[in-house]
């Protein structure tokens, strides 16, 4: 009933606006649907009442499809706040892929590594700001999904081509990787805790994958993105703690013998360039979560007086301040501690390899447990866009919300599918550089280009020049990163084994 009243009031306002608008003004989009001239006319009284009413209930900005949005996991609850935004952003923006950052420094070295990490961090923070502003860029419309914003900017066909596969790949691929890392870490944690008890038989790696997947599926039964705010809070604390523990232990312990910071020699200049590109891909892969920022902002109420971009940006600034305090010490401290001796598994593998004997089992066990907890919590937020996309197909066809049994079935099916892929393709973590190159446009290019297409800044203005430059540069860099990663895999080789987990 409340929604019907709001819709009726908005229709009345729109009619009044059209009656008082001159032909010259009809070709322009006003800055606000409520102009000062109209508000001072005899029609002002009922319009002010409608405006006040809509402000009170917080629905001045309409949704993409009000009925359907009320049924989908991302937008069915809009009671989020700045704290929820910070928890979700921190949990999704930092993860186990950051543990590979010291590995990138082996190729880049100190100066180029720090410069590259700093530039990518500032670049992706800028594109985050663009997405937050674009969330309500069109009058009366909220784009609570990356795909819908892409369609609004590039058109129906091109928008889907550019955004559908990368965003779903980032969500699904990240969940697969989390199963692999979480399950493997569960096994290591169990072995660390129960090392003294020889009578306990440990599970195989695949069996630990099953344990992790079942736990993730159980947590995935929470209905919507707002309902997992507490889980994201736990995941944020876990991520910050294990990142800090990892680099602090590595720095305070005595460095292994033979540590060197000399650049790795390559057989040719082409190999050198491709190695650098692959390292840049690892850095790009460390900054993920852009495919979720619109979804997170979509869980917040928005009105003319209190637009959602204000608390969302506050939450992002807070969370990325903490992310910076984790990633930079992790990369710099890890490289200082192990240098060119850093194994392919990253700093966590190095810690176990070089300090597994002289470090307290309790600390190692806690670190492993925190990694598992964060993997479980990150699985929930990255799986939510997939759940939302699948349910939207049902609600579009049936014009009604998904029944509980179908929602449960879809989430169980997704968990089983992710588990199958993790078992079938156990070499996926070795493709970090390639994945980073493929995902780079979603993070660095598309937001800049979407800003130009939607906001239409004046030609050759600073905004026009900066966004065109960054967008095109990111696309070129993405192609180079993919090429560099493929070249590195082809020349250095990669152990490909299907259905053979280690």
């Amino acid at each position: 009933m409340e929604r019907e009243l709001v819709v009726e009031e908005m229709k009345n306002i729109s009619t009044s606006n059209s009656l008082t608008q001159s032909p010259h003004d009809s070709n322009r989009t006003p800055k606000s649907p409520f102009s000062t001239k109209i508000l001072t006319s005899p029609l002002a009284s009922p319009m002010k009442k409608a405006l006040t009413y809509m402000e009170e209930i917080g629905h001045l900005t309409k949704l993409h499809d009000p009925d359907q949005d009320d049924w989908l996991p991302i937008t069915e609850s809009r009671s989020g706040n700045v704290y929820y935004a910070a928890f979700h952003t921190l949990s999704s923006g930092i993860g186990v892929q950051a543990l590979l950052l010291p590995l990138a420094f082996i190729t880049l070295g100190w100066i180029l590594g720090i410069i590259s990490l700093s530039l990518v961090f500032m670049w992706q923070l800028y594109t985050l700001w663009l997405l937050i502003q674009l969330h309500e860029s069109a009058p009366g419309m909220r784009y609570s999904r990356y795909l819908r914003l892409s369609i609004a900017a590039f058109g129906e066909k091109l928008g889907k081509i550019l955004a559908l596969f990368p965003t779903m790949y980032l969500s699904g691929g990240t969940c697969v990787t989390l199963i692999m890392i979480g399950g493997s870490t569960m096994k290591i944690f169990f072995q660390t805790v129960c090392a003294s008890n020889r009578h306990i038989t440990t599970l195989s790696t695949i069996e630990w994958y099953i344990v992790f997947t079942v736990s993730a599926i159980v947590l995935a039964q929470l209905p919507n993105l707002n309902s997992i705010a507490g889980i994201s809070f736990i995941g944020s604390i876990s991520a910050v703690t294990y990142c800090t523990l990892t680099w602090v232990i590595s720095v305070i312990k005595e460095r292994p013998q033979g540590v060197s910071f000399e650049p790795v020699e390559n057989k040719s200049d082409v190999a050198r360039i491709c190695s650098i590109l692959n390292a840049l891909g690892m850095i790009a892969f460390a900054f993920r979560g852009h495919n979720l920022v619109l979804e997170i902002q979509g869980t917040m109420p928005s009105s003319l007086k209190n637009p959602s971009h204000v608390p969302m940006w506050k939450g992002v600034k807070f969370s990325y301040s903490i992310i910076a305090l984790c990633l930079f010490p992790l990369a710099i401290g890890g490289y200082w501690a192990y240098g060119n001796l850093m194994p392919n598994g990253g700093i966590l593998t190095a810690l176990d390899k070089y300090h597994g004997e002289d470090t307290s089992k309790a600390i190692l066990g806690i670190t492993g447990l925190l990694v598992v907890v964060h993997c479980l919590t990150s699985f929930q937020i990255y799986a939510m866009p997939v759940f939302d996309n699948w349910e939207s197909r049902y609600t579009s066809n049936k014009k009604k919300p998904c029944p509980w049994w179908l929602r449960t079935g879809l989430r169980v099916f997704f968990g089983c599918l992710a588990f199958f892929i993790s078992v079938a393709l156990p070499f996926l973590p070795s493709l970090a550089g390639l994945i980073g190159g493929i995902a780079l446009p979603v993070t660095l290019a598309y937001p800049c280009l979407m800003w130009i297409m939607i906001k239409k800044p004046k030609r050759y203005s600073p905004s026009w020049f900066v966004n065109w430059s960054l967008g095109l540069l990111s696309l070129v860099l993405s192609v180079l990163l993919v090429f560099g990663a493929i070249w590195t895999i082809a020349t250095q080789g990669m152990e490909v084994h299907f259905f053979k987990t280690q």
Side-chain angles (χ1 to χ4, degrees):
M1 185 66 184
E2 182 181 85
R3 174 178 295 156
E4 293 176 357
L5 291 173
V6 174
V7 172
E8 187 63 28
E9 291 289 348
M10 292 186 70
K11 288 181 179 179
N12 293 336
I13 294 170
S14 177
T15 304
S16 301
N17 194 3
S18 64
L19 290 173
T20 58
Q21 193 176 35
S22 65
H24 177 71
D25 293 334
S26 63
N27 296 326
R28 299 182 303 170
T29 301
K31 295 182 179 179
S32 171
F34 308 100
S35 64
T36 305
K37 183 177 179 180
I38 296 177
L39 289 177
T40 57
S41 68
L43 296 174
S45 180
M47 290 180 64
K48 286 182 179 179
K49 290 181 181 179
L51 176 60
T52 303
Y53 176 74
M54 288 184 289
E55 284 287 351
E56 288 176 354
I57 64 173
H59 287 297
L60 182 60
T61 305
K62 68 179 181 180
L63 309 181
H64 182 271
D65 185 339
D67 290 330
Q68 188 180 16
D69 279 350
D70 283 347
W71 300 331
L72 299 179
I74 289 176
T75 49
E76 70 179 8
S77 174
R78 290 184 180 268
S79 58
N81 52 48
V82 63
Y83 304 105
Y84 287 14
F87 300 156
H88 289 317
T89 304
L90 185 54
S91 181
S92 61
I94 188 173
V96 291
Q97 77 282 352
L99 301 176
L100 298 175
L101 285 176
L103 196 61
F105 274 54
I106 294 178
T107 301
L108 299 175
W110 282 113
I111 298 177
L112 186 57
I114 294 175
I115 292 176
S116 301
L117 185 60
S118 301
L119 288 178
V120 173
F121 179 82
M122 291 186 291
W123 191 348
Q124 59 88 35
L125 193 60
Y126 169 69
T127 54
L128 265 177
W129 180 83
L130 292 180
L131 288 174
I132 292 172
Q133 300 301 315
L134 288 173
H135 179 86
E136 294 176 281
S137 54
M141 182 69 69
R142 294 184 68 177
Y143 297 106
S144 299
R145 291 157 186 85
Y146 198 103
L147 177 60
R148 289 182 180 174
L149 182 62
S150 177
I151 292 174
F154 305 120
E156 184 77 21
K157 293 183 179 180
L158 184 59
K160 287 184 178 180
I161 293 174
L162 294 177
L164 182 59
F165 174 75
T167 54
M168 290 298 104
Y169 175 80
L170 279 172
S171 295
T174 300
C175 289
V176 170
T177 305
L178 289 173
I179 290 177
M180 299 168 70
I181 296 175
S184 301
T185 309
M186 275 185 168
K187 181 179 180 180
I188 296 174
F189 170 76
F190 183 84
Q191 291 174 342
T192 302
V193 173
C194 303
S196 58
N197 194 334
R198 299 181 179 179
H199 299 288
I200 299 179
T201 303
T202 184
L203 301 176
S204 65
T205 303
I206 294 180
E207 290 172 334
W208 281 114
Y209 283 6
I210 295 175
V211 174
F212 181 91
T213 304
V214 170
S215 303
I217 290 175
V218 171
L219 289 177
Q221 301 310 313
L222 292 172
N224 53 62
L225 196 54
N226 262 339
S227 64
I228 64 172
I231 292 179
S232 293
F233 173 69
I234 296 173
S236 302
I237 295 177
S238 302
V240 173
T241 305
Y242 79 69
C243 284
T244 305
L245 278 176
T246 302
W247 74 260
V248 167
I249 296 173
S250 299
V251 168
I252 63 175
K253 292 291 183 179
E254 185 178 354
R255 288 193 291 183
Q257 294 182 354
V259 172
S260 173
F261 304 108
E262 293 295 326
V264 178
E265 295 184 1
N266 294 277
K267 297 180 180 180
S268 64
D269 293 337
V270 176
R272 168 71 175 167
I273 294 174
C274 290
S275 297
I276 292 176
L277 292 174
N278 189 53
L280 292 175
M282 292 182 183
I283 293 178
F285 184 56
F287 296 104
R288 62 181 188 178
H290 277 53
N291 60 312
L292 296 172
V293 64
L294 294 173
E295 285 79 355
I296 295 172
Q297 190 174 351
T299 65
M300 309 175 77
S302 186
S303 64
L304 190 64
K305 291 183 179 179
N306 301 293
S308 62
H309 68 82
V310 176
M312 184 65 192
W313 181 237
K314 289 181 180 179
V316 167
K317 288 190 294 184
F318 173 78
S319 60
Y320 269 83
S321 299
I322 297 179
I323 290 174
L325 294 176
C326 290
L327 297 190
F328 281 88
L330 192 66
I332 297 172
Y335 184 57
W336 178 88
Y338 305 109
N340 292 349
L341 297 179
M342 180 70 62
N344 291 332
I347 189 173
L348 195 61
T349 304
L351 179 64
D352 181 67
K353 179 179 180 179
Y354 298 112
H355 301 297
E357 299 298 329
D358 58 358
T359 304
S360 170
K361 298 297 182 183
I363 294 179
L364 292 176
I366 291 173
T367 304
L369 181 62
L370 291 173
V371 172
V372 172
V373 171
H374 181 243
C375 287
L376 280 172
T377 56
S378 296
F379 185 96
Q380 310 309 315
I381 190 170
Y382 272 92
M384 199 62 71
V386 180
F387 301 155
D388 188 89
N389 185 276
W390 287 358
E391 291 189 27
S392 67
R393 298 177 183 275
Y394 176 87
T395 55
S396 297
N397 294 329
K398 300 295 184 180
K399 306 301 180 182
K400 62 179 182 179
C402 284
W404 68 268
W405 56 268
L406 180 58
R407 171 173 283 188
T408 301
L410 289 175
R411 300 184 181 198
V412 171
F413 173 76
F414 174 76
C416 295
L417 179 62
F419 166 76
F420 174 80
I421 297 175
S422 65
V423 174
L425 308 175
F427 54 86
L428 281 181
S430 302
L431 303 176
L434 179 60
I435 296 173
I438 295 174
L440 190 68
V442 174
T443 303
L444 302 182
Y446 294 166
C448 299
L449 299 178
M450 288 190 291
W451 180 271
I452 294 173
M453 296 299 177
I454 294 177
K455 290 293 187 177
K456 301 185 183 305
K458 185 178 179 180
R459 185 182 293 270
Y460 304 120
S461 64
S463 175
W464 182 91
F465 180 78
V466 169
N467 286 291
W468 266 121
S469 300
L470 293 179
L472 296 178
L473 177 61
S474 178
L475 292 177
V476 173
L477 185 60
S478 176
V479 174
L480 293 176
L481 292 181
V482 172
F483 173 77
I486 294 175
W487 177 277
T488 302
I489 294 172
T491 55
Q492 296 182 2
M494 184 182 69
E495 188 178 352
V496 178
H497 39 270
F498 298 94
F499 296 97
K500 291 182 180 180
T501 55
Q502 297 179 345

